[in-house]
């Protein structure tokens, strides 16, 4: 195969002949396609091909085709030029990303392209990547690079994990101590580590993502993983505190008090500001790993259980989560949470992110909830690439081939429930990755394999073909300055 595209398109048909594309030629857009022209032109210019806008004809013609799927495109390369058709700006964007992969990596301004017809559209609507900015903090510039990496691989959902025991990263006007106290932890030597995003940082990231057809889903964790917030506002805990922003990794007992109405008001205030900043339909409310130790001993939590007829602390967690799921739904938002939110009953409007394997996703989709699959067995990129002593990474091993083998629709799911699987998302937890280059090392090339799982038709997935194409892709990553896991067996 001479056309080496990742993720693999729906169909690629190579033909006889070639076309020489080079800087100085022209680009035209017909009708509604004009809105997409600057983005396409910009992507090609970044790759060294600078095309001039013309009124008619030209080497690359963009044309609207409303019959194509929403994010899909058609790219035709003939001996007399290129034609890119799509129904939406996203389709043109993805078509241009594909065209970029056909250009030489040297950025020299000229490309000899084989004639071909490419038809393409994504398999899943939710092609997500998560980033934990709490265990380690990453500035806006890095977040933008992360979004570029996603866009190059046709990902379209950025899940921004903003709150944790070890740091709260979102400035909230009404609660200034979140940025003054919760955003900072004190090391053994007394040094301060942390950081936070201002509303203007958030707007910048959301806009940068929007230009790349990436939605931003913010995550505010409740009721657990809350100790950084409680360090600033201990009145929302079950006991008096004081608490510190946590400096170790793990799961901690200090969680939001489920018996205190003021805790609910605090979180609602936070969500009010979240809704003002994040336009996406979805808001992630966490829900994972919430120990019940404090609730069992807390008179207010126990009183709440009696008042609401809740039989167990698991039901109290469900009460807490259902409150916020309903609160968000009443404001036109779609709540999503980790699969623990299924325990004790789930609000019907909530979607589930299945991380403890596939079971939560299977149960939720069977019950009619929308689901994003993110099982730690296959899509956790903080895990080691290989089972080698000197290999970086945490907890377990997740090889490239294991990522590539992942099938997001659980085999046992009834076919008429399969549409509830919105897609798939990879996670990047950052306990072990303080620096951007550490993240690149953990993500690449596994994040490339997951892109193909998320985008390409199931029948187009082929491990040997992927390895072959990954070799060509490695040169693109290198040219883009991305350091990746150096597996000689894969890169050849
Ligand atoms: C998770 O990995 N605790 C969602
Ligand atoms: Zn309590």
């Amino acid at each position: 195969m001479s056309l080496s595209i990742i993720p693999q398109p729906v169909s690629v048909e190579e033909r006889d002949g070639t076309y020489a594309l080079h800087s100085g030629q022209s680009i035209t857009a017909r009708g509604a396609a004009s809105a997409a022209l600057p983005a396409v032109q910009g992507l090609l210019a970044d790759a060294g091909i600078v095309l001039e806008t013309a009124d008619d004809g030209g080497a690359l013609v963009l044309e609207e085709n409303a019959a194509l799927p929403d994010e899909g495109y058609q790219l035709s390369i003939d001996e007399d030029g290129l034609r890119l058709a799509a129904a939406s700006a996203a389709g043109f964007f993805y078509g241009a990303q594909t065209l970029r992969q056909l250009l030489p990596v040297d950025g020299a301004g000229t490309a000899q392209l084989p004639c071909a017809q490419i038809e393409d559209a994504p398999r899943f609507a939710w092609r997500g990547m998560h980033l934990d900015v709490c265990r380690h903090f990453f500035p806006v510039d890095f977040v933008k690079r992360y979004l570029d990496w996603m866009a190059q691989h046709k990902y379209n959902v950025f899940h921004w994990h903003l709150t944790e025991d070890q740091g709260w990263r979102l400035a909230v006007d009404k609660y200034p101590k979140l940025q003054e106290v919760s955003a900072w932890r004190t090391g053994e030597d007394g040094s301060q580590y942390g950081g936070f995003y201002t509303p203007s940082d958030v707007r910048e990231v959301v806009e940068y993502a929007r230009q790349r057809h990436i939605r931003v889903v913010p995550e505010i964790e409740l009721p657990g993983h809350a100790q950084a917030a409680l360090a600033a506002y201990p009145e929302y805990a079950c006991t008096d505190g004081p608490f510190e922003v946590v400096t170790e990794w793990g799961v901690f007992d200090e969680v939001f008090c489920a018996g205190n109405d003021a805790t609910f008001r605090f979180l609602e205030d936070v969500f009010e500001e979240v809704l003002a900043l994040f336009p996406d339909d979805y808001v992630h409310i966490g829900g994972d790993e919430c120990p019940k130790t404090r609730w069992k001993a807390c008179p207010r939590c126990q009183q709440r259980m009696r008042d609401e007829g809740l039989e167990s602390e698991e039901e109290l967690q469900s009460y807490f989560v259902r409150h916020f799921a309903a609160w968000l739904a009443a404001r036109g938002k779609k709540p999503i949470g980790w699969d623990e939110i299924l325990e004790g009953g789930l609000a019907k409007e909530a979607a589930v992110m299945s991380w403890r394997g596939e079971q939560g996703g299977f149960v939720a989709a069977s019950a009619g909830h929308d689901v994003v699959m993110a099982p730690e067995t296959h899509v956790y990129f903080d895990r080691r690439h290989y089972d080698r002593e000197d290999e970086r990474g945490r907890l377990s091993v997740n090889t490239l081939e294991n990522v590539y083998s992942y099938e997001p629709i659980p085999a046992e799911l009834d076919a008429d429930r399969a549409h509830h699987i919105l897609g798939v998302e990879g996670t990047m937890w950052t306990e072990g990755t303080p620096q951007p280059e550490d993240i690149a090392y953990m993500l690449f090339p596994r994040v490339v394999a997951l892109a193909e799982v998320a985008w390409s038709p199931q029948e187009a997935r082929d491990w040997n073909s992927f390895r072959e194409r990954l070799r060509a892709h490695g040169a693109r990553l290198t040219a883009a300055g991305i350091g990746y896991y150096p597996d000689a067996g894969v890169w050849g």
Side-chain angles (χ1 to χ4, degrees):
M1 184 186 335
S2 60
L3 286 180
S4 179
I5 302 164
I6 285 188
Q8 180 65 31
V10 170
S11 86
V12 179
E13 192 189 310
E14 288 194 40
R15 297 177 178 157
D16 292 340
T18 59
Y19 182 75
L21 182 69
H22 55 82
S23 284
Q25 289 174 320
S26 52
I27 177 170
T28 326
R30 297 205 177 119
S34 343
L37 189 142
V40 172
Q41 205 171 21
L43 282 172
L44 297 178
D46 284 348
I49 302 274
V50 181
L51 300 179
E52 316 291 337
T53 312
D55 289 339
D56 202 15
L60 173 57
V61 176
L62 310 183
E63 55 191 27
E64 191 189 7
N65 180 349
L68 292 176
D70 181 37
E71 297 178 288
Y73 65 91
Q74 279 176 348
L75 176 62
S76 318
I77 305 169
D78 295 314
E79 284 179 330
D80 53 4
L82 281 71
R83 196 172 48 78
L84 178 60
S88 67
F92 286 109
F93 184 79
Y94 295 130
Q97 290 289 4
T98 293
L99 178 53
R100 266 167 65 116
Q101 292 192 0
L102 308 181
L103 307 177
V105 294
D106 62 10
T110 172
Q112 196 71 26
L113 302 172
C115 290
Q117 175 73 15
I118 299 170
E119 314 267 342
D120 206 4
R123 179 177 177 204
F124 290 109
W126 188 299
R127 304 181 301 279
M129 273 303 298
H130 148 288
L131 179 64
D132 167 11
V133 293
C134 303
R135 272 54 177 264
H136 286 99
F137 177 70
F138 298 91
V140 166
D141 277 352
F142 175 71
V143 175
K144 288 180 173 176
R145 264 192 89 200
Y146 197 85
L147 292 165
D148 286 334
W149 295 346
M150 288 176 58
Q152 279 157 25
H153 298 91
K154 302 188 173 94
Y155 283 92
N156 68 343
V157 181
F158 174 52
H159 171 175
W160 206 358
H161 184 82
L162 288 165
T163 73
E164 264 304 338
D165 302 297
Q166 294 86 357
W168 176 291
R169 304 293 173 221
L170 183 67
V172 174
D173 268 352
K174 198 160 181 183
Y175 297 97
K177 283 192 283 182
L178 291 173
Q179 72 186 61
E180 290 156 12
V181 176
S182 306
W184 306 97
R185 59 180 184 251
T186 307
E188 271 177 21
D189 60 358
S191 62
Q192 296 282 297
Y193 178 91
F196 60 88
Y197 305 103
T198 64
S200 114
D201 291 336
V202 170
R203 281 189 213 99
E204 192 176 332
V205 167
V206 167
E207 174 58 15
Y208 193 88
R210 189 194 64 78
Q211 289 169 3
R212 285 153 186 78
H213 301 280
I214 296 172
R215 300 161 33 205
V216 181
V217 175
E219 179 179 355
I220 304 294
E221 278 264 22
L222 58 83
H225 288 294
Q227 193 168 324
L230 298 176
Y233 297 99
E235 57 270 39
Y236 306 129
C238 290
T239 58
D240 289 343
F243 311 109
E244 303 224 312
V245 179
V246 178
T247 54
E248 292 111 51
W249 315 133
V251 173
F252 300 90
D253 282 344
E254 307 309 337
V255 303
F256 288 119
C257 177
N260 182 357
D261 287 340
T263 307
F264 287 64
R265 299 296 89 75
F266 163 76
L267 284 165
E268 287 168 5
D269 288 343
V270 168
F271 281 118
E272 291 279 6
E273 295 198 26
V274 166
L275 297 198
L277 286 172
F278 293 91
D280 198 64
D281 285 349
Y282 281 83
V283 175
H284 202 300
I285 55 176
D288 61 322
E289 299 177 322
C290 179
K292 310 296 187 293
T293 319
R294 294 290 177 264
W295 290 0
K296 287 193 167 105
C298 171
R300 285 180 302 196
C301 285
Q302 293 302 312
Q303 185 61 43
R304 174 85 77 198
M305 287 169 59
R306 284 190 292 276
D307 290 348
E308 299 292 333
L310 306 170
E311 309 261 311
S312 63
E313 284 72 22
E314 282 66 35
E315 286 187 23
L316 184 58
Q317 151 127 356
S318 167
Y319 169 87
F320 202 119
V321 168
R322 275 188 282 119
H323 174 87
F324 286 97
W327 190 93
L328 288 163
R331 284 153 186 81
K333 293 287 170 174
K334 296 185 185 164
I336 183 166
W338 302 108
D339 57 57
E340 285 94 329
I341 68 173
L342 283 163
E343 292 162 11
L346 178 56
K348 64 178 183 329
E349 53 277 275
V352 171
M353 192 164 272
S354 189
W355 75 279
R356 296 175 302 176
E358 292 187 294
Q359 186 60 18
F362 165 72
V363 170
S366 299
H369 294 282
D370 285 340
V371 168
V372 175
M373 299 301 289
E376 59 178 337
T377 50
H378 289 82
V379 304
Y380 269 42
F381 297 136
D382 59 341
R383 307 298 153 93
R384 300 198 300 285
H385 286 271
Y386 269 99
D387 191 9
R388 280 200 286 255
E389 249 176 54
D390 59 348
E391 192 44 61
R392 281 195 248 162
R394 306 179 69 244
L395 304 171
S396 62
V397 176
N398 182 18
T399 64
L400 178 65
E401 186 166 8
N402 186 58
V403 176
Y404 194 78
S405 73
Y406 181 56
E407 169 47 42
I409 302 201
E412 65 276 26
L413 186 65
D414 285 350
D416 68 351
R417 298 286 166 170
H419 65 279
H420 284 301
I421 307 294
L422 303 179
V424 62
E425 183 174 295
T427 68
M428 188 64 241
W429 301 102
T430 57
E431 286 94 334
T433 46
Q435 299 298 332
E437 54 271 26
D438 302 323
I439 292 189
Y441 178 93
M442 299 312 287
L443 287 187
F444 289 95
R446 293 183 291 196
V447 71
V448 183
L450 186 64
E452 192 146 307
V453 171
W455 179 279
S456 304
Q458 193 182 6
E459 58 278 10
R461 294 236 306 272
D462 180 295
W463 170 240
N464 289 325
S465 151
F466 175 72
R467 280 166 54 115
E468 200 58 45
R469 284 175 289 118
L470 193 51
R471 284 198 187 94
H473 200 65
R476 292 177 202 133
L477 298 180
T478 301
I482 299 172
Y484 49 77
Y485 178 75
D487 181 341
V490 170
W491 299 99

